């Protein structure tokens, strides 16, 4: 049976779960700060990733895939560049030009398509490339705010560089995780996806825990003390990652990350209902472009 189409519901689920995780993290920033709220996605997500792996292994009824050199290289690269990209985003939050940085970061799907083709040989058609560009323009349009042009002029070249490099980091992470999954030779796709997720999150937890033990023990204590709320951020973060990895196992990272832009629409719903923030006319134009780009993607995928 051809199950390649399952990347679509898996990615939509991942986008919805990630929007929920971001909403939880938004609440945690009040008590843990931006850095602490970001850390919980890794620390509290790892146990759930292990649970997902146990379920996948039980369904598959086969041995775990094992590891090899290319797998370890890909998964380590993905884990490191994802943390680096997140760190750049955190650095940008301390700048006055954060909105500008965020807009440039949204070029990630375009960069995923380029890196996926260059590193893994993932093909993309002219129509597929158009879908990526249209949907990405929609997200950038939604990121634009009043006064952004003045903000960009005042900040100079730094916001553009931070945004593009951060987006490149997230793009390389997606391509690396897909490369890790493709390098495995045994097991069904869902077991390979769960196995890769456990390895990537495990590496990230070790790196971040060591960093906090060395430099921010106070933050580690606060993250552990806030477990009642943080555990939901960890669960939603791990669930989102599970969906992304399932998508990476079935289709190109560019397809997954482009369809994953639906996260912006889910976040808009949460902003309206949970945080009582309505959409502006510019944001509605962005929504139309995102929906149009996603529709074009699904027609050509």
């Amino acid at each position: 049976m051809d199950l390649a189409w399952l990347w679509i519901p898996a990615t939509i689920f991942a986008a919805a779960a990630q929007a929920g995780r971001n909403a939880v993290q938004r609440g945690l920033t009040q008590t843990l700060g931006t850095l602490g709220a970001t850390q919980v996605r890794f620390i509290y997500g790892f146990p759930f990733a292990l649970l997902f792996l146990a379920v996948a292994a039980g369904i598959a009824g086969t041995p775990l895939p094992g590891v090899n050199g290319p797998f370890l290289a890909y998964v380590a690269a993905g884990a490191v560049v994802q943390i680096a990209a997140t760190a750049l985003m955190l650095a940008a939050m301390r700048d006055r030009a954060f909105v500008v940085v965020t807009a440039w970061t949204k070029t990630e799907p375009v960069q995923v398509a380029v890196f996926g083709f260059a590193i893994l040989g993932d093909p993309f058609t002219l129509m597929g490339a158009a879908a990526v560009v249209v949907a990405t323009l929609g997200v950038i349009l939604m990121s634009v705010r009043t006064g952004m042009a003045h903000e960009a002029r005042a900040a100079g070249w730094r916001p553009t560089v931070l945004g593009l490099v951060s987006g490149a980091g997230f793009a390389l992470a997606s391509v690396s995780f897909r490369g890790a999954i493709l390098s495995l030779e045994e097991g069904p796709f869902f077991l390979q996806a769960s196995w890769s997720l456990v390895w990537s999150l495990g590496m990230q937890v070790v790196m971040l825990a060591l960093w906090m033990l060395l430099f921010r023990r106070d933050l580690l204590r606060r993250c552990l003390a806030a477990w009642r709320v943080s555990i939901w951020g960890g669960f939603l973060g791990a669930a989102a990652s599970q969906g992304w990895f399932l998508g990476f196992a079935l289709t190109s990272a560019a397809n997954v990350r482009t369809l994953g832009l639906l996260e912006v629409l889910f976040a808009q719903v949460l902003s309206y209902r949970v945080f009582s923030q309505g959409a502006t006319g510019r944001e509605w134009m962005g929504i139309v472009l995102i929906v149009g780009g996603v529709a074009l993607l699904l027609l050509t995928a």
Side-chain angles (χ1 to χ4, degrees), residues 80 109 119 124 135 141-143 159 196 225 239 260 267 276 286 294:
V80 170
I119 298 174
F124 59 95
L141 188 61
M142 292 187 69
S143 301
S196 301
S276 300
V294 166

Side-chain angles (χ1 to χ4, degrees), residues 61-79:
T62 60
L64 295 176
V67 298
N68 53 53
F71 172 81
L72 290 176
Y74 274 124
V75 79

Side-chain angles (χ1 to χ4, degrees), residues 38-94:
T38 302
Q39 306 287 44
V40 300
R41 62 175 287 197
F42 302 108
I43 296 174
Y44 286 92
F46 183 63
F48 290 106
L50 289 173
L51 177 61
F52 298 155
L53 176 62
V55 172
I59 294 174
T62 60
L64 295 176
V67 298
N68 53 53
F71 172 81
L72 290 176
Y74 274 124
V75 79
V80 170
V81 295
Q82 189 176 54
I83 289 178
T86 303
L88 284 173
M89 283 296 299
L90 293 175
M93 288 179 181
R94 294 192 293 268

Side-chain angles (χ1 to χ4, degrees), residues 163-185:
L164 287 174
V165 174
S166 179
F170 287 122
L172 282 171
S174 296
V175 172
S176 297
F177 292 145
R178 172 164 164 78
I181 295 170
L182 295 179
S183 69
L184 296 174
E185 300 176 354

Side-chain angles (χ1 to χ4, degrees), residues 13-213:
F13 168 79
Q18 185 153 306
R21 185 209 71 194
N22 291 340
V24 172
Q25 284 184 319
R26 178 170 174 171
L28 283 170
T29 55
Q30 298 178 3
T31 55
L32 300 179
T34 302
L35 180 59
T38 302
Q39 306 287 44
V40 300
R41 62 175 287 197
F42 302 108
I43 296 174
Y44 286 92
F46 183 63
F48 290 106
L50 289 173
L51 177 61
F52 298 155
L53 176 62
V55 172
I59 294 174
T62 60
L64 295 176
V67 298
N68 53 53
F71 172 81
L72 290 176
Y74 274 124
V75 79
V80 170
V81 295
Q82 189 176 54
I83 289 178
T86 303
L88 284 173
M89 283 296 299
L90 293 175
M93 288 179 181
R94 294 192 293 268
D95 285 355
R96 293 180 178 179
F98 171 65
V99 173
V100 181
V101 179
T102 301
W104 283 107
T105 302
K106 301 306 182 182
T107 61
E108 176 199 350
V110 176
Q111 299 190 65
V112 168
V114 174
F115 290 135
F117 175 76
I119 298 174
L120 302 178
D122 283 339
F124 59 95
T125 64
L126 183 60
M127 292 293 287
V132 172
V133 171
V134 170
T136 301
L137 285 175
V139 175
I140 293 175
L141 188 61
M142 292 187 69
S143 301
V144 173
R145 295 291 185 271
T146 303
M148 181 174 169
H150 173 73
E151 195 175 291
R153 287 193 298 271
W157 54 267
R158 177 181 166 86
T160 300
V161 173
L162 278 177
L164 287 174
V165 174
S166 179
F170 287 122
L172 282 171
S174 296
V175 172
S176 297
F177 292 145
R178 172 164 164 78
I181 295 170
L182 295 179
S183 69
L184 296 174
E185 300 176 354
E186 301 132 3
F189 74 91
F190 56 88
L191 183 59
Q192 293 176 340
S194 298
W195 181 243
S196 301
L197 174 60
V198 163
W199 273 87
S200 66
L201 269 181
M203 290 181 180
Q204 290 169 327
V205 167
V206 170
M207 287 186 285
L208 291 171
L210 285 175
W211 182 85
M212 285 192 287
L213 282 172

